[in-house]
Amino acid sequence: TNKPGPILVELAKDILCNTILASAKKLRNNAQHKVIYLSPDLTEAQRLQDFNLRTERNKMNQARTDNDPFWYGIRGNKIVILKKKTDQ
């Protein structure tokens, strides 16, 4: 594939890592950085497991209809059913 591999960044303090990871979702709101994803350091096996879990979740969500009152998400290492937020 043409995708670059993961980049490992080591920080001096764990608190910095936690702060950065907590703010990582904000990158998705910026068009220039929308394709950048931050995640904790994982082994190759953990990255593969995470990829497989996301792939399965995406297939399950594609099989849903727009009328379904839920969607599938990942919490921990499990695929779970999440209720759709209603517009008010």
Side-chain angles (χ1 to χ4, degrees):
T1 107
N2 292 332
K3 291 183 182 181
I7 297 173
L8 179 63
V9 176
E10 190 171 336
L11 301 171
K13 297 184 179 184
D14 286 342
I15 190 84
L16 291 174
C17 181
N18 294 337
T19 302
I20 290 170
L21 289 174
S23 301
K25 290 183 180 180
K26 293 178 184 177
L27 287 174
R28 289 188 225 156
N29 296 330
N30 184 313
Q32 186 178 4
H33 300 106
K34 199 172 188 106
V35 296
I36 298 173
Y37 299 93
L38 301 179
S39 63
D41 185 24
L42 302 174
T43 66
E44 188 173 341
Q46 288 170 320
R47 288 195 307 269
L48 180 60
Q49 179 184 17
D50 190 50
F51 172 79
N52 290 336
L53 199 58
R54 287 192 319 271
T55 301
E56 183 64 25
R57 181 223 33 216
N58 292 346
K59 285 180 188 176
M60 293 169 76
N61 278 327
Q62 287 176 350
R64 293 178 36 257
T65 67
D66 289 338
N67 294 329
D68 289 337
F70 63 89
W71 55 281
Y72 295 100
I74 299 172
R75 298 295 181 264
N77 288 322
K78 296 180 181 179
I79 297 175
V80 296
I81 295 175
L82 302 170
K83 291 182 182 178
K84 278 186 182 178
K85 293 181 181 178
T86 57
D87 295 332
Q88 296 181 353

